[in-house]
Amino acid sequence: MATKKKDIRALTKTQLRDFFVKQGDKAFRGNQVYEWLWQKAAHTFDDMTNISKETRQMLEDNFVINHIKVDTMQRSADGTVKNAVRLHDGLIVESVLIPTATRTTACVSSQVGCSLDCRFCATARLKRMRNLNPDEIYDQVVAIDNESRLYFDRPLSNIVFMGMGEPLMNYNNVIKAIDKITSEEGLGMSPKRITVSTSGVPKIIKKMADDDVKFNLAVSLHSAIDEVRTTIMPFNETFPLNDLREALEYWYAKTKRKISYEYVVWGGINDTQKDIDALVKFCKYVPSKVNIIEYNPIDDGEFQQASNEALENYIATLEKNRIVVNVRRSRGKDIDAACGQLANKS
Ligand code: SAH
């Protein structure tokens, strides 16, 4: 029986160099192949045109490149592009390209399905099947960068980890992917243009601060009152707001970087003055800003976007307290590509 071939992109550059030396070749060959695998994002060994045919065959005999495959691509009337991405084991995740006048943002997934159970999110209804590998995260970015160049004539400018999954529950692989995305041997993007969004895993937020990461942090808050937050995000019971607050204070003390709070306002859930006052108080713990996200309904109608009056009250109160607030209109709703709608529907 043939032995199982190894995923070549699980090797570090040093391991790849060592492999070639063991084969009686030059270590430098490892650098060349590494460049093909990452910077040039080769899909097959045959793409590696400056490598001899025999060497390519030898690689083929020993390794696989588990490159993702964009299965279907949908384009929204507003220009948003959604990719359904097939992984080497047949599972599917989604990623989204969001164009604006000045930037193109890639919204990428970190897990197949999600381990959390936010009641308003379509992805939460999918079981978490597995974590994505670093190369599977990297490939999503490369695919969107290519689409950005093709459709909008410019490279990708920003990345948000706001697709499927909870990035901090797959921290090691997310960090490895970001290392490749920011490295000169990968895409050479600035970490300042990358935002990792989390529902708030206090221990990992502290670890990120200790690791001195250079990307931005967004927290999906949605309520600053424990009882309310636990009803809509049940895992808040395990990681209550006080623990989150403490982790965010630790993050700010170490990184000196502002936090963004993602916030949806729903009628009858978090639209009272008490909810607003609690948010204002929470925002004062560490320098932060609030992104109010429009609610994207997911079938059952249990949650409804709050009235304009409630929204305006939020905005006015935050501004009065000198807290920066942006209102984010949803993009790509017609193709189920907006926040919380990623559920492998087509
Ligand atoms: N698990 C991470 C990454 C997912 S990001 C996190 O929670 O941050 C997806 C963002 O969209 C989160 O801010 C999430 O709270 C929000 N979201 C989920 N469902 C939504 C919906 N139906 N409408 C609008 N925003 C939603």
Side-chain angles (χ1 to χ4, degrees), residues 209-220:
D210 288 336
D211 288 350
D212 197 22
V213 299
K214 300 287 183 228
F215 49 77
N216 303 300
L217 176 62
V219 174
S220 302

Side-chain angles (χ1 to χ4, degrees), residues 118-131:
C118 305
R119 303 243 321 270
F120 46 83
C121 179
T123 310
R125 312 217 162 146
L126 306 174
K127 221 175 92 201
R128 189 200 75 98
M129 304 296 286
R130 68 171 173 86
N131 286 336

Side-chain angles (χ1 to χ4, degrees), residues 199-200 202 219-230 233 235-249 261 263 278-279 282 285:
S199 289
V219 174
S220 302
L221 192 60
H222 304 310
S223 173
I225 301 174
D226 268 317
E227 299 77 69
V228 178
R229 197 167 190 258
T230 301
M233 303 170 80
F235 87 100
N236 183 71
E237 186 131 38
T238 321
F239 304 122
L241 287 163
N242 243 335
D243 296 5
L244 179 60
R245 168 192 173 174
E246 197 211 322
L248 296 174
E249 285 170 343
Y261 296 126
Y263 205 98
L279 174 62
F282 199 87
Y285 297 145

Side-chain angles (χ1 to χ4, degrees), residues 114 116 118 120-122 161-167 197-200 218-222 233 262-264 266 293-298 330 338-341:
C114 189
L116 302 180
C118 305
F120 46 83
C121 179
F161 280 77
M162 294 190 186
M164 293 174 157
E166 169 49 53
S197 177
T198 177
S199 289
V219 174
S220 302
L221 192 60
H222 304 310
M233 303 170 80
E262 314 289 320
Y263 205 98
V264 177
W266 291 282
I293 316 176
E294 189 185 351
Y295 178 56
N296 303 304
I298 53 164
S330 271
C339 290
Q341 290 188 317

Side-chain angles (χ1 to χ4, degrees), residues 152-187:
F152 303 99
D153 217 11
R154 59 190 185 205
L156 185 65
S157 61
N158 297 71
I159 303 173
V160 293
F161 280 77
M162 294 190 186
M164 293 174 157
E166 169 49 53
L168 299 203
M169 300 262 186
N170 183 20
Y171 180 67
N172 289 340
N173 289 351
V174 165
I175 290 295
K176 282 187 191 157
I178 292 178
D179 280 349
K180 283 272 157 31
I181 293 165
T182 52
S183 135
E184 280 311 320
E185 291 179 329
L187 298 176

Side-chain angles (χ1 to χ4, degrees), residues 194-214:
I194 300 177
T195 300
V196 170
S197 177
T198 177
S199 289
V201 188
K203 207 172 81 192
I204 310 288
I205 292 176
K206 286 186 180 168
K207 179 162 172 38
M208 288 192 331
D210 288 336
D211 288 350
D212 197 22
V213 299
K214 300 287 183 228

